Amino acid sequence: MLSELRIVTINKGQMGNWLDLFCDRLAPLARRLDIRITGAWTDVDGERFVQIRSFEDDKDMAARRARFTGHSEWRAVESRVLDLTAAQDIVKLQPIWHFDDWDGNHGLLDMDRSPLAQLRIYTVNKGMMLVWKDLYKRYEVPGHQTAGIPLEWLSHDLEEERFCWIRSFENKWDMEKRQDHFHEGLDWQAVKDRVPTLIAHSEVMLMNPVQLEAG
């Protein structure tokens, strides 16, 4: 399976109009064309829109993208989309399912139902992705489990050395409490000095869910 992380910067003051367009026109069209939207969010500052779309493989991704962009309904709203958006970053990702006891469920909880989600994008130092993933599996995953922090989505960029993951919380107070618990834990203490040597850059985005109609 492949995933596509799309981070769209919305023109100032236009998030409401964008969400109306996405929920009323774009998401239903994707659903009719069997494009699975795994999750959708807005950042807490109301400036960026995030969605994850899932496909079987490269061939499936290319075919479904082509059907979407060639559809008359897309062409009818394309100019409106361009008017509302300032920029878009699209990242093709390989989900990582084997990190936890997820029993073939791809590790996906109901991400769009989590009241507060945290997207973390790490740029891993060149040539160190395998080392980072091994450390993450052995220390970060059990550390988060001990702290009661759900890890909902793990993946790595197929074109650059980026590792993307999502974890969820009930609210900001819950996030601060559980993050403190995590940082005090033995797993984090064992690797806290090692992690900065593997990560060149990190970006953290707090997000609220966008509720989409069930397909």
Side-chain angles (χ1 to χ4, degrees):
M1 179 177 283
L2 292 179
S3 290
E4 187 180 64
L5 174 66
R6 291 175 170 247
I7 302 176
V8 184
T9 302
I10 306 301
N11 286 324
K12 188 174 180 63
Q14 294 298 316
M15 181 61 80
N17 290 327
W18 165 259
L19 289 176
D20 288 342
L21 179 64
F22 182 83
C23 293
D24 294 343
R25 302 291 296 275
L26 301 179
L29 175 59
R31 186 162 55 247
R32 288 196 299 275
L33 297 178
D34 295 323
I35 295 175
R36 181 187 176 197
I37 299 177
T38 306
W41 304 264
T42 59
D43 73 327
V44 296
D45 295 324
E47 296 178 351
R48 288 182 289 181
F49 175 84
V50 178
Q51 67 166 307
I52 297 172
R53 308 198 305 186
S54 297
F55 305 89
E56 291 300 320
D57 50 33
D58 275 312
K59 183 178 180 180
D60 179 57
M61 178 182 287
R64 294 186 190 280
R65 277 179 171 177
R67 283 199 293 272
F68 187 92
T69 57
H71 199 283
S72 59
E73 289 191 40
W74 163 252
R75 294 195 297 270
V77 298
E78 183 178 8
S79 62
R80 180 62 172 154
V81 169
L82 295 176
D83 287 342
L84 294 173
T85 59
Q88 180 172 228
D89 184 21
I90 302 175
V91 184
K92 186 168 68 173
L93 299 159
Q94 178 67 62
I96 303 167
W97 310 129
H98 64 272
F99 278 147
D100 202 358
D101 53 349
W102 289 332
D103 300 324
N105 192 37
H106 305 314
L108 297 175
L109 306 180
D110 291 323
M111 292 195 294
D112 57 353
R113 299 181 185 176
S114 301
L116 182 67
Q118 190 184 70
L119 170 64
R120 304 179 74 91
I121 302 175
Y122 290 176
T123 301
V124 180
N125 285 324
K126 187 175 179 61
M128 300 303 291
M129 181 62 79
L130 289 178
V131 176
W132 164 250
K133 288 196 293 186
D134 179 66
L135 180 148
Y136 193 95
K137 177 181 179 180
R138 291 192 293 122
Y139 294 99
E140 293 270 357
V141 169
H144 280 80
Q145 290 174 329
T146 300
I149 303 174
L151 294 174
E152 298 185 335
W153 188 70
L154 309 172
S155 60
H156 65 89
D157 192 337
L158 295 180
E159 298 175 356
E160 299 182 30
E161 296 287 290
R162 285 187 288 186
F163 184 89
C164 305
W165 49 303
I166 292 175
R167 55 188 190 175
S168 65
F169 305 91
E170 291 299 317
N171 48 49
K172 288 186 177 181
W173 178 84
D174 177 63
M175 179 181 70
E176 293 173 359
K177 180 184 69 173
R178 294 191 185 278
Q179 285 185 154
D180 286 345
H181 189 185
F182 171 77
H183 288 128
E184 292 166 0
L186 295 178
D187 292 291
W188 173 250
Q189 293 299 315
V191 296
K192 66 177 184 178
D193 295 327
R194 179 73 170 135
V195 169
T197 70
L198 300 175
I199 305 301
H201 175 73
S202 63
E203 179 182 2
V204 179
M205 189 188 310
L206 287 182
M207 309 184 301
N208 300 126
V210 174
Q211 300 295 339
L212 302 176
E213 291 185 11

